[in-house]
Amino acid sequence: MSADRLLATVLRGLQSSQSAGDTPRLLSIAASLLTSLQNPLNVTLLTSQILSAPLLWDRPDGLRTCFRVLGVFSSASVAILSNAETRHTIVPGGARALSPEKWIKAVVNGADSSSPRWRHLLAIGGLLVGFEGHGRAGLSERLRVDLSEAVVKIVDITLSKSRGSNGLDTLCLPLVLNHIFELLPEAQLGGLNYDALLPVLVSSAFHSSEGFGSGYFVGALDGDVIQAGNTFNWSARSATFQQLQQISTAPLVASMGPLSRLIAHAIEHVRSPEAVLKVVKDLLYFSRNLSTQWRRGKLSEIDVSEESVFLHPETLRATIPVLWQVLKAIMFASVVIQRAILGRTLKDVNLADGKRAAGLAMDTLHTLRGLYFISSRLGSNAFTTYTFVYMTAIDILSNFRSAAQQFLVEIKPRAIGQIPAHPLDRCMDLYFLNTCEQFTMTVTPAVNEDLIVAATVPYLSPSGHPNMLEIFEAAHSVLLAVFLAPQNADIAARTLPFYVDTIFKSFPETLSARQFRLAYKTLLKVSSPPSLLSATQPNLAATLLEILRHNALHASPVILPTPGPARQPPSNLPSGQRPAGPDPALQESEEQTALPSLSPQATHTLALLDSLPFISPLLLDEWLPLAADLINSNGDPSMATVCRDRLWEVLSSGEMDVERSEICVAWWGTRGGRELVLSGPPPLVTSTATKESPTQQMQ
């Protein structure tokens, strides 16, 4: 069929609104036809018909129709450029093809008054993607600037007419800009009205039917979750799963990463600080609504560790992974946008104002809390942008004591003193514990004791479930952070005896070897000079060492199972998000790789060795030989070797200050320390001619 006859057929098909099933085929033919027409008037005519055809626009399939039309012009542009570069200038039939410049002009002429101005973006955007995308650089500088200026003009006109609606005209803007944003010159980007564009971008992504729909899809799916006995099934054939698949493949959601970066760019360039604050409120509303919708569903009642027991195999295999993939996209997009907000806050005096900054930081942390049921499951600890947002918001809020205290009251557990039954409530408790750990230095002793310590107590129970190890260790970290705060010396004095008893009862069932060592090391630091607690209770450190030594001598020498790698956050996270002590200086000597299997006896011994750099020089001089004796008392030779290696690391790696190092050098070199560690104490004999033991030489 000749090009003219094919053109007539395509035009007739586009004018009919009865053959919607033929749309993909007609658009494919139109894309091919655009590259083979040699008459620029025919190119103009076909472009005009595509942008105004009843078949496409009487009942459009949302942004999918726009995306298809954008693809028509993009693929045709790639073909035209490819033909020009390979000098294939002869089209079927023997006629000479149009040059790229003439063809672009013909397409632009087709964006005429027969179609709304916003649809012209699809043709011009397709030209930019086809000629400039993927580093093709197929446009002259003049043409690139002209097309970019046309884009900016159309965007501004559409924004002025949309007035905040979520119609297809408005939704088309983020779709096209998302694909051509990096192709527009800086000069033209500066001409965009970001104050009007930013609300449209955020609304399209988070609240529109083409985006995440304010999160209501999460609540809707519960109607299709069927319970049969103790098993829950969400079928892949259910209507809500089909809807979820539509959401996950929607043009905006499928490219949510670039779209979130476009929103971040708009935040950085918006003129009005109020526009930034409105985005903060939008994200806060969205996260709270999403969390509420999740709570209402049956799936939220199943703990992550129990999903394999209570979820149907079809749900585990087919439906749940798609849901969490969409929720993961929500979390990532939200955090990228929040990073831009906080970056703008740090350099904008209008947002860094005291009251505004505190409120913005609180709203940011509330938003992260609403999304925490996602981030805690999918691993926010591996997402450095999340870490930046979380810690920056905390740093800002830490400058405002009253606001920080108000925030902790707002996010406190629903029932302080109890472990909630609902998994989502436990998740929120974990967020509270991780967050309040960062504020123990900021808030008053009363808040530390009445709110923070009270909230940790139920999670310090030695009889807790092993599946809750992460939240148990978070509670231990919080209490250690409370002890380290200088203003909490009285709280530490009252609470420390209870806590010492707790950690010995908790290990190893609900407390890992790593956390036990960090906890005891922190206790020794808190009770040693120059802390305030050591001034009122000077013998406390020695007592703690003696308790540890006594328990080590009576602990089991049987090696514990290898600690699992799951949920072990990397060391570059805030301490509230890793099972570690609150002072980063206390963690420098910890292994950053998987920890070896240890016996309880070796763990107690290592805890004592970890504490040596923090006790007073007088105690250090006394406890070096006792530590060596404790190493040799380990029943398993392999555990004794691990302990010797750790002692050598403590002595030689720089963990000691100058004064303590001198004591260690003297003990190791001239007072028998080396022999005591490497060979152990000599056997007792009765002969008076026997050489004195290293221990006797030190006396």
Side-chain angles (χ1 to χ4, degrees):
M1 184 183 295
S2 67
D4 290 341
R5 290 179 61 190
L6 188 58
L7 174 62
T9 301
V10 171
L11 293 179
R12 283 195 302 271
L14 291 173
Q15 288 302 314
S16 172
S17 59
Q18 304 302 320
S19 55
D22 292 336
T23 300
R25 182 180 64 86
L26 284 172
L27 287 178
S28 177
I29 296 173
S32 177
L33 194 55
L34 279 171
T35 65
S36 59
L37 293 171
Q38 65 269 25
N39 188 338
L41 295 179
N42 287 338
V43 175
T44 298
L45 175 62
L46 182 54
T47 299
S48 178
Q49 290 301 308
I50 292 173
L51 295 179
S52 60
L55 175 66
L56 300 176
W57 305 109
D58 279 3
R59 291 188 297 273
D61 185 17
L63 282 183
R64 283 180 170 82
T65 297
C66 298
F67 188 66
R68 293 189 191 108
V69 172
L70 180 69
V72 166
F73 292 103
S74 172
S75 60
S77 300
V78 172
I80 290 291
L81 180 61
S82 177
N83 289 339
E85 289 176 345
T86 56
R87 302 188 183 278
H88 290 168
T89 58
I90 305 299
V91 297
R96 184 169 294 276
L98 294 172
S99 67
E101 188 167 345
K102 289 182 178 180
W103 186 82
I104 291 171
K105 184 177 180 181
V107 170
V108 172
N109 288 339
D112 53 26
S113 59
S114 63
S115 56
R117 187 69 67 92
W118 62 269
R119 292 183 199 166
H120 301 174
L121 270 180
L122 300 173
I124 299 174
L127 295 176
L128 285 168
V129 172
F131 280 96
E132 292 288 314
H134 300 286
R136 281 185 283 267
L139 295 174
S140 66
E141 186 63 24
R142 180 182 62 81
L143 264 178
R144 180 168 175 251
V145 169
D146 289 345
L147 292 176
S148 299
E149 289 179 346
V151 167
V152 171
K153 184 177 180 180
I154 295 171
V155 169
D156 286 345
I157 292 174
T158 305
L159 288 173
S160 64
K161 292 181 178 180
S162 65
R163 297 178 181 177
S165 68
N166 266 335
L168 193 57
D169 55 342
T170 305
L171 294 172
C172 184
L173 300 184
L175 172 69
V176 177
L177 288 175
N178 200 27
H179 285 83
I180 66 173
F181 167 65
E182 295 182 351
L183 307 177
L184 299 176
E186 286 292 333
Q188 278 63 48
L189 280 175
L192 288 171
N193 183 358
Y194 289 106
D195 289 71
L197 179 61
L198 179 59
V200 170
L201 296 176
V202 174
S203 178
S204 300
F206 290 95
H207 303 298
S208 75
S209 59
E210 296 288 344
F212 297 123
S214 297
Y216 286 109
F217 69 91
V218 174
L221 65 86
D222 188 60
D224 287 332
V225 177
I226 300 173
Q227 181 175 1
N230 290 329
T231 304
F232 296 85
N233 186 24
W234 178 29
S235 173
R237 297 180 296 277
S238 63
T240 51
F241 182 67
Q242 303 302 319
Q243 179 195 17
L244 180 65
Q245 287 184 311
Q246 289 288 316
I247 292 173
S248 65
T249 58
L252 291 183
V253 175
S255 58
M256 188 55 64
L259 181 56
S260 63
R261 292 193 292 272
L262 175 58
I263 296 173
H265 173 83
I267 289 171
E268 293 169 357
H269 291 83
V270 74
R271 293 184 178 88
S272 171
E274 298 299 331
V276 178
L277 295 175
K278 187 177 184 304
V279 175
V280 175
K281 294 296 183 182
D282 276 348
L283 292 177
L284 175 59
Y285 162 78
F286 177 86
S287 68
R288 283 178 169 171
N289 189 62
L290 186 69
S291 179
T292 301
Q293 295 298 315
W294 175 251
R295 178 183 291 276
R296 291 174 179 173
K298 303 180 188 70
L299 295 179
S300 69
E301 300 172 4
I302 304 172
D303 191 81
V304 176
S305 61
E306 299 173 336
E307 286 186 349
S308 60
V309 177
F310 293 106
L311 290 183
H312 191 275
E314 180 187 18
T315 304
L316 286 171
R317 182 185 68 257
T319 53
I320 278 289
V322 178
L323 173 62
W324 285 108
Q325 190 65 31
V326 173
L327 294 176
K328 181 178 180 180
I330 289 174
M331 183 195 75
F332 282 3
S334 301
V335 171
V336 167
I337 294 169
Q338 287 177 305
R339 185 187 189 283
I341 292 171
L342 290 174
R344 173 73 183 262
T345 302
L346 295 176
K347 60 184 180 182
D348 189 335
V349 293
N350 294 309
L351 291 174
D353 167 73
K355 186 176 181 180
R356 269 186 174 175
L360 190 148
M362 288 176 63
D363 288 344
T364 299
L365 291 171
H366 273 300
T367 300
L368 294 179
R369 180 176 182 265
L371 299 174
Y372 197 65
F373 76 97
I374 308 172
S375 58
S376 63
R377 176 191 179 110
L378 299 177
S380 60
N381 46 25
F383 190 25
T384 56
T385 303
Y386 181 98
T387 304
F388 172 83
V389 171
Y390 181 69
M391 295 307 298
T392 302
I394 286 175
D395 287 345
I396 293 173
L397 190 56
S398 295
N399 293 301
F400 308 95
R401 171 178 283 185
S402 59
Q405 294 180 163
Q406 177 188 342
F407 172 70
L408 293 182
V409 171
E410 291 174 358
I411 68 169
K412 68 180 181 180
R414 290 189 169 191
I416 291 181
Q418 301 177 11
I419 298 179
H422 200 290
L424 184 59
D425 288 329
R426 294 199 297 270
C427 180
M428 295 298 103
D429 285 2
L430 178 59
Y431 181 83
F432 171 81
L433 293 173
N434 286 341
T435 304
C436 71
E437 178 184 348
Q438 313 296 331
F439 291 105
T440 55
M441 296 281 191
T442 302
V443 300
T444 63
V447 173
N448 270 296
E449 185 168 21
D450 298 338
L451 178 59
I452 298 178
V453 174
T456 66
V457 170
Y459 292 106
L460 298 175
S461 171
S463 58
H465 196 283
N467 288 339
M468 297 170 61
L469 182 63
E470 183 180 16
I471 193 169
F472 291 149
E473 295 195 339
H476 283 276
S477 290
V478 171
L479 198 57
L480 296 175
V482 171
F483 292 162
L484 281 173
Q487 73 272 26
N488 295 332
D490 291 341
I491 299 175
R494 292 193 297 271
T495 312
L496 197 143
F498 151 77
Y499 183 64
V500 171
D501 182 61
T502 298
I503 60 174
F504 280 111
K505 290 180 179 178
S506 300
F507 174 73
E509 285 76 15
T510 60
L511 196 64
S512 68
R514 180 172 183 258
Q515 183 71 23
F516 177 87
R517 291 169 59 185
L518 289 164
Y520 221 89
K521 181 166 57 176
T522 304
L523 294 180
L524 264 300
K525 182 178 182 181
V526 169
S527 57
S528 299
S531 71
L532 295 177
L533 184 60
S534 67
T536 58
Q537 301 193 35
N539 297 322
L540 181 57
T543 302
L544 291 175
L545 288 169
E546 191 56 51
I547 292 174
L548 182 58
R549 178 174 178 271
H550 173 78
N551 280 273
L553 292 173
H554 295 85
S556 170
V558 179
I559 298 177
L560 298 171
T562 302
R567 308 190 77 86
Q568 289 290 336
S571 60
N572 62 341
L573 295 178
S575 56
Q577 290 190 315
R578 59 178 181 267
D583 187 350
L586 299 180
Q587 303 169 39
E588 293 176 356
S589 62
E590 290 300 315
E591 293 291 336
Q592 300 304 317
T593 56
L595 294 177
S597 298
L598 299 171
S599 66
Q601 188 177 44
T603 301
H604 287 71
T605 304
L606 290 171
L608 191 147
L609 299 177
D610 293 340
S611 305
L612 293 179
F614 305 105
I615 61 179
S616 67
L618 185 62
L619 273 181
L620 178 64
D621 193 31
E622 176 185 348
W623 275 89
L624 280 172
L626 294 176
D629 287 338
L630 197 57
I631 291 173
N632 292 317
S633 69
N634 274 265
D636 190 316
S638 64
M639 293 295 97
T641 300
V642 171
C643 294
R644 289 190 189 96
D645 291 343
R646 176 57 186 147
L647 175 62
W648 178 249
E649 184 181 8
V650 170
L651 297 179
S652 63
S653 66
E655 295 183 41
M656 300 280 189
D657 61 16
V658 175
E659 183 179 6
R660 292 175 175 83
S661 295
E662 291 178 348
I663 295 173
C664 294
V665 168
W667 173 76
W668 182 265
T670 62
R671 296 169 59 192
R674 176 176 54 197
E675 292 77 9
L676 186 59
V677 172
L678 299 180
S679 305
L684 295 177
V685 293
T686 56
S687 173
T688 57
T690 302
K691 186 178 180 180
E692 288 184 327
S693 68
T695 304
Q696 294 170 329
Q697 292 177 7
M698 289 188 297
Q699 295 175 347

